Amino acid sequence: MITGVDHVAIAVHDLPAARAAYEALLGAAATAAETHDGITSQLIGVSNTSVELMSATGEGEAAQRLHAAVAAEGEGLKSLVFAVDDIAGAHQRCERVGLAPEQVIERPAFARFRLASAATRGMRLFLLHRRHALEGAAHVGLDHVVIRTSDAEQAAALYGARLGLSMRLDREIAGRRLMFFRCGDAVVELACEPGDGSRDQLWGVSWRIADAGAERARLGDAGFDVSQVRPGKKPGTQVFTVRGGTFGVPTLMIEPAARRCD
């Protein structure tokens, strides 16, 4: 049913500033701004997904919901949008497994629907069929997106059994249980932490790059606050953190072990 991550959506106050920052971060140009239901958005594509930057600029119901979410939670990641190749079939399956999907919204470039928050532990999850591929930067890709949960079993049932993602790893690292689900050529990571058990949080992203040292230098020259390059948790990887300028999104850049030349 799900073929990958179509995009992650980031809500911001200042759309032009966010566009400039993410164009510099990802090394790719944004699409032209579009406004629907009082929300203005732009997409920035990379090799296997895209980032949607969005801001409430009107008075529609959707804009009011977005404005309320930003007021309550601040800027940052708000939605995770999965790619599907059959929107009708995906909608039917989601109905059958109790995810209470909303009606399909048709636009010239795509068709999508949202899953009920009550069935997704408060997460804003969408399934989308894009009619035309979005071009993006080939040198950057989504490595993984991180979701924080306080109920590992319910979250695993949602992403594994109900949404059909393949669990590839379930282990404890530094006292935290981490579960990794394959989604296309990216990963959805569940970070299990103590909490009240009622609501999960879309937390951060890791971008896959070819050369951590070169990328850190490029971003430092562009004005980003970046950490030193260090070994990643996975043997052979090299990572660094982007500590500012990402509009509330914890951001890690990772050079995978399989792509190292030395």
Side-chain angles (χ1 to χ4, degrees):
M1 177 176 68
I2 291 174
T3 60
V5 176
D6 184 86
H7 68 275
V8 293
I10 302 171
V12 300
H13 293 298
D14 187 336
L15 186 60
R19 182 201 67 234
Y22 271 87
E23 285 182 333
L25 178 73
L26 301 175
T31 61
E34 295 186 6
T35 301
H36 298 283
D37 302 324
I39 297 176
T40 302
S41 63
Q42 292 184 267
L43 289 171
I44 301 176
V46 295
S47 64
N48 62 347
T49 190
S50 58
V51 171
E52 180 183 21
L53 302 169
M54 56 186 186
S55 183
T57 56
E59 300 297 330
E61 181 180 346
Q64 292 175 5
R65 289 200 302 265
L66 180 61
H67 180 76
V70 174
E73 306 162 4
E75 295 179 305
L77 289 167
K78 300 302 175 190
S79 302
L80 177 58
V81 184
F82 292 111
V84 298
D85 53 15
D86 178 359
I87 197 71
H91 193 274
Q92 183 180 59
R93 172 177 165 77
C94 288
E95 285 183 323
R96 289 178 174 176
V97 297
L99 293 174
E102 296 180 0
Q103 68 180 13
V104 175
I105 294 176
E106 296 278 355
R107 296 266 168 78
F110 62 82
R112 65 164 170 80
F113 62 87
R114 180 177 175 173
L115 303 179
S117 295
T120 61
R121 298 183 47 76
M123 289 280 293
R124 300 177 184 92
L125 299 182
F126 295 79
L127 277 68
L128 180 147
H129 171 64
R130 193 172 295 280
R131 296 188 174 95
H132 305 287
L134 181 69
E135 293 186 4
H139 64 284
V140 181
L142 180 66
D143 191 80
H144 62 273
V145 58
V146 181
I147 297 170
R148 285 178 164 175
T149 183
S150 57
D151 192 320
E153 301 310 322
Q154 284 194 24
L158 169 61
Y159 294 97
R162 300 169 87 182
L163 288 175
L165 303 185
S166 173
M167 180 186 280
R168 297 303 179 91
L169 193 62
D170 181 357
R171 65 178 180 176
E172 189 169 298
I173 301 176
R176 287 197 309 170
R177 183 179 179 186
L178 301 178
M179 293 183 287
F180 300 85
F181 293 81
R182 175 62 61 183
C183 186
D185 67 347
V187 168
V188 174
E189 175 186 330
L190 300 181
C192 309
E193 302 173 343
D196 63 10
S198 62
R199 185 179 178 87
D200 294 344
Q201 178 191 10
L202 182 58
W203 185 75
V205 294
S206 172
W207 298 108
R208 187 185 307 141
I209 53 175
D211 187 322
E215 194 68 13
R216 179 191 179 278
R218 183 186 73 82
L219 293 180
D221 290 344
F224 287 92
D225 179 9
V226 292
S227 74
Q228 294 297 318
V229 175
R230 61 188 185 275
K233 292 180 181 178
K234 185 175 180 179
T237 60
Q238 295 287 305
V239 306
F240 66 92
T241 303
V242 183
R243 297 182 292 211
T246 57
F247 291 77
V249 181
T251 300
L252 186 76
M253 313 299 281
I254 179 168
E255 178 187 340
R259 302 193 177 194
R260 290 186 59 80
C261 301
D262 52 342

